[in-house]
Amino acid sequence: MSSDAKAATSYEEGLKGASESVAEFKEKKSALARLQHWLHMTPSAVPMIVLIAAVIIFGLLSPNFFKAMTISTILQQIAIVGILGCAQSLVVLTAGIDLSVGAIAVFSSVLMGQFTFRYGIPAPISILLGLALGTAMGFANGWLVAKVKLPPFIVTLGTWQIILAANYIYSANETIRSSEIAEVAPALQFWGNSIQPGGVKVLYAVFLLIAMVAVLSYVLRQTAWGRHVYAVGDDPDAAELAGVQTKRVLIQVYALAGLFCAIAGWVMIGRFGSVSPSASTGQLGNIQSITAVVIGGISLFGGRGSIVGMFFGALIVGVFEMGLKMVGTDPQWTFFLIGLLIILAVAVDQWIRKASA
Amino acid sequence: MSSDAKAATSYEEGLKGASESVAEFKEKKSALARLQHWLHMTPSAVPMIVLIAAVIIFGLLSPNFFKAMTISTILQQIAIVGILGCAQSLVVLTAGIDLSVGAIAVFSSVLMGQFTFRYGIPAPISILLGLALGTAMGFANGWLVAKVKLPPFIVTLGTWQIILAANYIYSANETIRSSEIAEVAPALQFWGNSIQPGGVKVLYAVFLLIAMVAVLSYVLRQTAWGRHVYAVGDDPDAAELAGVQTKRVLIQVYALAGLFCAIAGWVMIGRFGSVSPSASTGQLGNIQSITAVVIGGISLFGGRGSIVGMFFGALIVGVFEMGLKMVGTDPQWTFFLIGLLIILAVAVDQWIRKASA
Amino acid sequence: EGTACLITKTDTNPFFVKMKEGAEAKAKELGIELKAYAGKIDGDHEGQVAAVEACIADGAKGILITASDTKAIVDAVKAARDAGVLVIALDTPLDPIDAADATFATDNFKAGELIGQWAKATMGDGAATAKIALLDLSIAQPSVDVLRDQGFLQGFGVELGDPAKWGDETDPRIVGHEVTSGNEEGGLKAMETLLAKDPEINMVYTINEPSAAGAYEALKAVGREKDVLIVSVDGGCPGVGNVKDGIIGATSQQYPLDMASKGIEAIAAFAKDGTKPAPTEGKAFVDTGVALVTDKPAEGVESIDTAKGTELCWG
Amino acid sequence: MTQEPLLKARGLYKRYGKVTALNNCDFDLMPGEILAVIGDNGAGKSSLIKALSGAVQPDEGEITLEGKQVHFASPLEARGHGIECVYQTLAMSPALSIADNMFMGRELRKPGIMGSLFRQLDRPAMEKFAREKLTELGLMTIQNINQAVETLSGGQRQGVAVARAAAFGSKVVILDEPTAALGVKESRRVLELIRDVRSRGIPIILISHNMPHVFEVADRIHIHRLGSRLCVIKPGDYSMSDAVAFMTGAKVPDEVAEAA
Amino acid sequence: MTQEPLLKARGLYKRYGKVTALNNCDFDLMPGEILAVIGDNGAGKSSLIKALSGAVQPDEGEITLEGKQVHFASPLEARGHGIECVYQTLAMSPALSIADNMFMGRELRKPGIMGSLFRQLDRPAMEKFAREKLTELGLMTIQNINQAVETLSGGQRQGVAVARAAAFGSKVVILDEPTAALGVKESRRVLELIRDVRSRGIPIILISHNMPHVFEVADRIHIHRLGSRLCVIKPGDYSMSDAVAFMTGAKVPDEVAEAA
Ligand SMILES: Nc1ncnc2c1ncn2[C@@H]1O[C@H](COP(=O)(O)OP(=O)(O)OP(=O)(O)O)[C@@H](O)[C@H]1O
Ligand SMILES: Nc1ncnc2c1ncn2[C@@H]1O[C@H](COP(=O)(O)OP(=O)(O)OP(=O)(O)O)[C@@H](O)[C@H]1O
Ligand SMILES: O[C@@H]1[C@H](O)[C@H](O)CO[C@H]1O
Ligand SMILES: [Mg+2]
Ligand SMILES: [Mg+2]
């Protein structure tokens, strides 16, 4: 009885001649409007503005701050947090959290060192083994999150403790000294080498960090896999229904995070010279990397933010710490002021975003 | 031309005589089905099952575990984490996180102590002032989250640092001795008193914790304010559109969390006897309370879970720690196993939930 | 017969790990069961209170404890003693010292003073214009941290402010204090920061040897390792090795294995017939001694060389 | 029209970065009328009612309620003025129950001391009320009144939202596509409900793509196109076909053509 | 009916705690047909197609595709068998762009080495395709093709989801209320699209509350009531009014009445 259905929709005759052009409105074109629009489209630029402001202020407050050496010191101080931040960013983009990043880094560095010194394995092979084991630790996290469906916070809280404890047990808390490493296995210290353009030392580790940020940024924006990472974090059910292999993506993300942490562990050897199971990164690496990620504008609820933002986030913290220490005196007051500045930085960031919305 | 509209919907005549009874299906009534259904309706019971299993296992492993004294020791050990967990639960239910809970607790205890000993203020007034100041710190968190719209992680990371540093600076790192407090200001140690039914010591602090959990549980389930807390965490935009004063609720939640932390600070004095600015709760209270919250089944994304679950979460951790200490020997192995057990506990929890879904 | 507990500040610092090994060896020898506990972080006295409670619940005969907070732990210790448990403070005296049945410890102020005196003598006239970096433990300023720092400054001839805390001295020779968590990573970062503040630093005090090793890496990176004097505390084998290699100028050696084994012996004796150990003559505690280890002895400061130091080192 | 509009807007603009949602838009709601708002997808209908109800702040333009200029910073403020809105996104807390959602922000308390002092909710009363309202809407398939809203079917969820607004609106009720997910029976009940509400003297703004329904219940029809009001027609004066032609740009209404 | 159903289900059950969503439900889809599924809100239509497409696992019952028993553990597996579905909840990533969502899981890569080695997405191609598909649906109001889906209007968002399914379905296309949020013009286009897809030989399951549309395009109509299939009718054999009476329980179809 298709005819009474036809009658019921007879008013659709009015559609004949409906407009077929895409809606357009004239735009405001003032310089301010264009800046606003650019910020709206490029939210990772906002922390950059905060960063530049901080640098200028500290430069005015402390005469030594603007020296090339200070800047290069800051960069080398954030190298490890930055690499851990890459790992953390991936995980946080999937709406997860990884409390074990620092522990994986420290344990991987210990494994690389002990493989060489305890069993006499050639350093390059020890390094590869260390990287592989770091990846495996990340994989274990991913498997528990994706397959057993446990909350990432709990999984990585557990593996954080497990890995750190394993690290102490396996290493018997013994430090491998820098001079021994330099002699026997310089490859372990590779990332501690530097180039010195104009007398200013820049560690290989700094270039590594920048390269990692650049590559990851490309991968996240320009490849299908990157889009899937965002989709999984944005709404996992929707991603699943839309045909993303959410479990596989999650496992890959955590495993990759593990690899990055192991790379950070290798970098730690170069940077600190020695291999020490009690490096503070094991305890603090998680909170430091999460801080960089959040200041950089990545949402802890997943799916929003960029790795470049994380890089600026790490830099902001590095600049604040160095700047305050150069200006101030007492570590307790420095600690106090860093807390204040972090809140302020994000408040300014928020304010710029609002103005540009 | 309402007539052609009428014609277009003429098929609605078919509605005459439409069924007017609520849909019903016959239910399966087996015992298992009823258990499943009960678990489905009472998710906070799941951690309880895990807890009971853990207690039985440790009882079999260690002869001393089943003594009344061991149980009372566990309860007193979780008193502080449990109270901080109440604070943390409220905040997490709103999809926030409070990293400053431990710092507020420690600083409040220091303030109560110093007010009495440095300025000679009577202890009860010092306590009230301490509670008020703890609430104020929480209020500051809430204000920054609700009004300045900063991410809770950043706000409380900042205030954590600020409060801890202020705590060290203000106290000049000085511990106030237990014997002095007992002499001059016993009110500060109130929660350290105990009743001893049958020779087993039960601290007032334990009763306080249980009372707080009971009251909060009532407030969250049975009052409008409690429902609003859940709504804000579930979907803040929806809650706002539905007419909840989200900002006010957020500020209240953080301020209340601050008050609970200050209460925890007061309890700390009773439990440890002394007032120490370097109490590790300042550093670890946040992660410990978040752990209790998450093991207890409260979602870090907000809006789901119960305070009773948190209580069992804290108990599970307390039982694991005590049980492993009594069974095992080496601290690193203890840490290792606690990590493992926490993951296992939540995996079992997840599995029961799935079976009951 | 019976069990003993060892409760250390942490179980991550090699110092405590070796202490535990010493205690284990002795306990085995004497047929005592040893259970070890540790705080989660340095300064975790709450974890230590929980450990004491676990020991009481577990019916231990004696407890050896390196207190994280010398005052805050006192109540828990009293509860243990009331329950008939022998409590011995190791490494760090309690406050008041008689809160424990006995104390086997290093005099940490003296350990600092020794390296301070040595540094002053070694720098000679330069000491008057020295630029000093102080690498401390943590902003919570636990008692070892304060005692060593203040001992060093006193030995070096710097006028102290409040001796109960570091950081309030006004002597212009002090470039600054930074905290290190007592490990290489912290030592490196702290040194880098202080160097950015003043590249001319030529005297570095460090809380312990791992942080000294970190500081050295930072100096090496800017090519200043040869003209800066580093002093430290602990006397662990890697630390003594670093003294021998000229990385650390001098270190004050402690004897944790001694502390541990003496502690276990005391518990064994107590378990047998209830005797309690007596303190060193003229002191309120059993001083397990401290020795300055250096290959460049300075006049007026007693020291041993690295050969002897290696013989005595722990781990 | 000598009567003053109850709710009036002039010259509203709302832009999101590059996108223009409202472009110099006017609006008038007369007392006691059912005003339908129709327009293409993306024409800006939801943006308009969000601006009217305080859910978004327009970049420019002014709004007056009963002749007084108003500025709603939040939906709560608008609600304080008696404006009740069912948003297209429904604005419900997914994990909470039907009754919790229905009474969100205006919960019932137990009588006596339990309610006044202990502020205990009167769950049985709230559940009973919720069940009645859903039955009025013909939603007989909801088996468990304590179900979390996220587990409801699309239509059931919409029904809950509509029931809420209809039960509580006091001055203006705004419904953004209230029947989109509803079945034949449930849609019919909503139309009856709308007439009910109007008979209580409360004016209604109804956004809908269902032309027969719009022409059946509306007193006037606001046709929205490209972010602004194209024209307002009376259902008696034009056919549904005309209305469709206007809103899709197939035809231009006479007034507008003359003005141009 | 000598022909074998392409997709068939027998005795499906799905319970959520107290709530029964599917209650001994049968289902048949013939090759090349447009099968409409109609029923009250909450009757279990979405639950049925979720079970068919792997989005939920039924508690009991079996499903066969082309005569072979299948068991889809996820929508991805169903999609691997050529079953494409627009869910009522649309299944889109709110923060991602229109093109990102449209191509989710089957992105286009740049030609040459940039695509093969560096796996770079071909954004211009994806955006062009997305714009074309939206234009086919008459969604002319989308000004910025890079807009995040969460900022689209309700209808625009639904249009994107429908365009995606129609563009990629290969064996069965399932549409759960695809026109619920759409305007008159856009709905009409979707109907045309459905006919288009069928003319490619692909059968379609269409869930809808719009009776005129259902009776216009469907070959057969599956009437769902209280969690199971009540009956299947042909639009030529019954009036819309009858269908409405069946699904709301006002009348009982003859076959069922006889069987009972
Ligand atoms: N937050 C936002 N950011 C960017 N664009 C937006 C935002 N909100 C709405 N828009 C755009 O504004 C325009 C108007 O949207 P609106 O939701 O008002 O349409 P509508 O008329 O309600 O459509 P529908 O009938 O589909 O619901 C659309 O083009 C939409 O994409
Ligand atoms: N996850 C769930 N938990 C509990 N009940 C559920 C769940 N999902 C669906 N239901 C219930 O199952 C029944 C069928 O829902 P379904 O979504 O299949 O209905 P529908 O026919 O698609 O309705 P509509 O036309 O409104 O979309 C409803 O009563 C619904 O409340
Ligand atoms: O004495 C010990 C060790 O020196 C360690 O290095 C730091 O903690 C102290 O208590
Ligand atoms: Mg809309
Ligand atoms: Mg449905």
Side-chain angles (χ1 to χ4, degrees), chain D residues 2-68:
Chain D
T2 50
Q3 223 179 355
E4 259 301 291
L6 181 79
L7 184 62
K8 179 169 111 176
R10 286 294 171 269
L12 298 181
Y13 280 91
K14 181 76 202 173
R15 296 187 195 85
Y16 297 99
K18 262 192 200 164
V19 177
T20 302
L22 291 177
N23 190 31
N24 192 17
C25 177
D26 296 343
F27 176 85
D28 295 282
L29 176 71
M30 295 297 160
E33 76 170 340
I34 296 177
L35 175 74
V37 177
I38 64 173
D40 263 355
N41 288 126
K45 305 178 296 297
S46 297
S47 301
L48 170 62
I49 60 104
K50 279 189 199 154
L52 295 176
S53 68
V56 305
Q57 269 59 54
D59 302 330
E60 291 171 46
E62 64 179 40
I63 300 172
T64 54
L65 179 68
E66 299 183 310
K68 279 189 278 296

Side-chain angles (χ1 to χ4, degrees), chain D residues 159-217:
Chain D
V160 173
V162 172
R164 174 169 71 179
F168 296 106
S170 68
K171 195 166 283 173
V172 179
V173 173
I174 305 179
L175 302 170
D176 193 352
E177 305 192 23
T179 61
L182 293 186
V184 177
K185 176 177 58 165
E186 295 80 0
S187 298
R188 173 55 44 197
R189 300 289 172 92
V190 169
L191 294 188
E192 286 166 13
L193 198 84
I194 289 174
R195 288 217 182 86
D196 257 25
V197 171
R198 197 237 331 245
S199 72
R200 284 191 265 140
I202 301 172
I204 290 155
I205 306 172
L206 169 69
I207 300 184
S208 177
H209 292 297
N210 189 319
M211 291 305 128
H213 285 172
V214 163
F215 272 73
E216 183 185 332
V217 299

Side-chain angles (χ1 to χ4, degrees), chain B residues 40, chain D residues 139 141-143 147-148 150-157 181-183, chain E residues 15-17 19-22 39-48 50 88 176-177 207 209 224:
Chain B
H40 190 78
Chain D
L139 279 169
T141 52
I142 295 181
Q143 300 159 43
Q147 224 170 312
E150 66 191 337
T151 66
L152 291 177
S153 83
Q156 291 171 337
R157 194 153 42 219
L182 293 186
Chain E
R15 294 187 196 85
Y16 297 98
V19 177
T20 302
L22 290 178
D40 262 356
N41 288 126
K45 305 178 295 298
S46 297
S47 300
L48 170 62
K50 280 188 199 154
Q88 200 168 5
D176 193 352
E177 304 192 23
I207 300 183
H209 291 297
H224 208 79

Side-chain angles (χ1 to χ4, degrees), chain B residues 7-244:
Chain B
T9 55
S10 58
Y11 57 84
E12 293 186 13
E13 277 158 30
L15 286 175
K16 267 174 221 137
S19 158
E20 288 295 330
S21 59
V22 172
E24 252 184 303
F25 298 87
K26 56 181 178 317
E27 271 181 74
K28 312 177 287 177
K29 281 283 185 199
S30 74
L32 185 70
R34 249 174 304 157
L35 176 68
Q36 277 193 339
H37 181 235
W38 180 73
L39 285 173
H40 190 78
M41 292 286 100
T42 325
S44 60
V46 179
M48 196 183 69
I49 298 177
V50 176
L51 177 66
I52 292 172
V55 169
I56 293 173
I57 292 171
F58 282 118
L60 295 176
L61 288 177
S62 162
N64 284 338
F65 192 83
F66 260 146
K67 292 199 301 201
M69 182 180 149
T70 306
I71 309 290
S72 88
T73 306
I74 292 175
L75 279 169
Q76 85 193 30
Q77 288 187 353
I78 66 152
I80 290 158
V81 177
I83 296 175
L84 294 181
C86 289
Q88 193 69 259
S89 298
L90 276 180
V91 171
V92 170
L93 280 175
T94 67
I97 194 159
D98 192 343
L99 299 177
S100 68
V101 286
I104 297 181
V106 173
F107 195 25
S108 301
S109 79
V110 164
L111 289 170
M112 293 176 192
Q114 295 291 349
F115 284 171
T116 308
F117 285 85
R118 198 183 291 178
Y119 313 126
I121 299 174
I125 297 184
S126 297
I127 291 168
L128 284 180
L129 286 174
L131 295 177
L133 287 168
T135 311
M137 295 177 224
F139 177 87
N141 282 334
W143 188 82
L144 288 165
V145 168
K147 296 282 184 171
V148 194
K149 294 196 177 13
L150 303 183
F153 185 91
I154 285 295
V155 167
T156 58
L157 177 81
T159 53
W160 176 24
Q161 291 209 23
I162 293 171
I163 294 170
L164 258 195
N167 160 56
Y168 293 132
I169 295 168
Y170 176 72
S171 67
N173 304 80
E174 261 165 38
T175 298
I176 305 172
R177 275 200 217 132
S178 175
S179 52
E180 288 175 45
I181 299 175
E183 209 170 285
V184 180
L188 289 174
Q189 293 176 336
F190 176 76
W191 298 108
N193 295 324
S194 55
I195 58 165
Q196 316 229 1
V200 183
K201 216 178 86 175
V202 188
L203 292 194
Y204 286 7
V206 171
F207 294 109
L208 175 66
L209 169 60
I210 292 171
M212 283 180 70
V213 168
V215 170
L216 255 187
S217 178
Y218 171 85
V219 169
L220 285 173
R221 288 157 149 276
Q222 299 285 342
T223 73
W225 187 81
R227 297 287 90 190
H228 294 183
V229 169
Y230 278 85
V232 167
D234 210 3
D235 184 338
D237 296 336
E240 177 89 36
L241 291 179
V244 175

Side-chain angles (χ1 to χ4, degrees), chain D residues 1-153:
Chain D
M1 262 187 263
T2 50
Q3 223 179 355
E4 259 301 291
L6 181 79
L7 184 62
K8 179 169 111 176
R10 286 294 171 269
L12 298 181
Y13 280 91
K14 181 76 202 173
R15 296 187 195 85
Y16 297 99
K18 262 192 200 164
V19 177
T20 302
L22 291 177
N23 190 31
N24 192 17
C25 177
D26 296 343
F27 176 85
D28 295 282
L29 176 71
M30 295 297 160
E33 76 170 340
I34 296 177
L35 175 74
V37 177
I38 64 173
D40 263 355
N41 288 126
K45 305 178 296 297
S46 297
S47 301
L48 170 62
I49 60 104
K50 279 189 199 154
L52 295 176
S53 68
V56 305
Q57 269 59 54
D59 302 330
E60 291 171 46
E62 64 179 40
I63 300 172
T64 54
L65 179 68
E66 299 183 310
K68 279 189 278 296
Q69 193 166 336
V70 287
H71 185 88
F72 301 134
S74 76
L76 208 71
E77 284 186 20
R79 193 196 273 196
H81 284 82
I83 299 180
E84 196 68 33
C85 196
V86 177
Y87 296 95
Q88 201 168 3
T89 51
L90 304 184
M92 304 230 260
S93 299
L96 296 187
S97 74
I98 296 170
D100 279 339
N101 269 288
M102 201 111 114
F103 286 89
M104 185 58 63
R106 29 171 122 68
E107 292 79 1
L108 304 182
R109 278 191 255 132
K110 279 255 168 78
I113 186 164
M114 281 318 291
S116 58
L117 183 62
F118 295 106
R119 311 191 80 74
Q120 190 179 20
L121 294 176
D122 193 348
R123 283 192 189 281
M126 294 184 353
E127 284 164 15
K128 184 157 164 284
F129 182 94
R131 175 60 86 191
E132 275 166 19
K133 289 292 154 195
L134 293 174
T135 301
E136 274 175 29
L137 280 182
L139 279 169
M140 313 312 297
T141 52
I142 295 181
Q143 300 159 43
N144 176 4
I145 196 81
N146 285 313
Q147 224 170 312
V149 156
E150 66 191 337
T151 66
L152 291 177
S153 83

